[in-house]
Amino acid sequence: MSTTRPMLNQREAAAACGVSRSTIRRRREAGLLPGSVEDPERGWLIPVEALLGAGFTLNAPAPPDATPVRPVDHAGGLEGGTVQELRAELDLLRHEHALELTEARHGQALAESEVSHLRAQLDARTEHIGDLQRALQALMPAPVRPAIPQPWGWPAPPGSPGQPAPGEPGQPPMYGD
């Protein structure tokens, strides 16, 4: 029977300790979790003894979302880390923030580009619809106009509506017939 405790990957260690994966990663990168090894299949493996030695409690409930406050000892320093470790953690957080800010700006630029592209498409389609409406109007038949009434006493021209055509019965003969 083996007396060694198991090794957990970063996700399992974070879940078991009730902290975020980035907390486990930062502690590992700062060298506060000795014995951590990188496995090609499971990623970084952390011994349970290292987690306990770093002050984590296994199977602890997750802390609230508030940022934890580091206790101050009587000498004026911070418990749980040296100034160098805290500076390294601060530099890492600044770097992560800069990356997130760059990603957000890139996303904003992509969205603005998409908006201008869609507006150009909308303008082109609006112009095309106007062209089609004008072409349809040009193809429509002209409205029917009522016939102009003839003044009294003037005979209607032969072949007009209601008048017999020349040479039909009821039509006077043309001159020279």
Side-chain angles (χ1 to χ4, degrees):
M1 177 145 87
S2 174
T3 59
T4 61
R5 293 196 177 174
M7 297 183 76
L8 306 174
N9 66 25
Q10 290 185 132
R11 182 184 51 77
E12 294 167 337
C17 296
V19 295
S20 68
R21 291 192 326 201
S22 61
T23 299
I24 298 293
R25 178 183 43 81
R26 285 193 303 269
R27 297 281 177 95
R28 180 190 48 79
E29 289 175 349
L32 298 175
L33 299 173
S36 299
V37 293
E38 187 172 15
D39 181 56
E41 294 178 16
R42 293 182 64 201
W44 281 96
L45 299 178
I46 301 146
V48 171
E49 292 87 3
L51 293 169
L52 294 173
F56 291 111
T57 305
L58 295 181
N59 296 321
D65 290 336
T67 305
V69 177
R70 296 181 186 265
V72 177
D73 66 9
H74 298 296
L78 296 174
E79 283 185 24
T82 65
V83 172
Q84 293 172 340
E85 292 170 349
L86 295 174
R87 284 188 179 149
E89 185 176 348
L90 179 61
D91 289 340
L92 179 64
L93 290 172
R94 285 181 177 159
H95 179 71
E96 288 174 354
H97 180 264
L99 288 175
E100 290 174 2
L101 187 60
T102 301
E103 285 181 17
R105 287 181 179 155
H106 179 69
Q108 180 183 8
L110 286 176
E112 289 172 354
S113 173
E114 182 71 12
V115 165
S116 67
H117 171 72
L118 290 174
R119 283 192 177 141
Q121 275 187 336
L122 179 63
D123 291 341
R125 289 185 179 172
T126 301
E127 184 178 338
H128 183 67
I129 288 171
D131 291 343
L132 291 174
Q133 286 174 336
R134 285 187 291 279
L136 183 61
Q137 191 175 17
L139 294 173
M140 296 295 287
V144 178
R145 295 184 184 167
I148 300 174
Q150 296 293 325
W152 284 83
W154 287 52
S160 63
Q163 297 294 322
E168 287 183 5
Q171 179 70 19
M174 302 286 286
Y175 296 109
D177 282 341

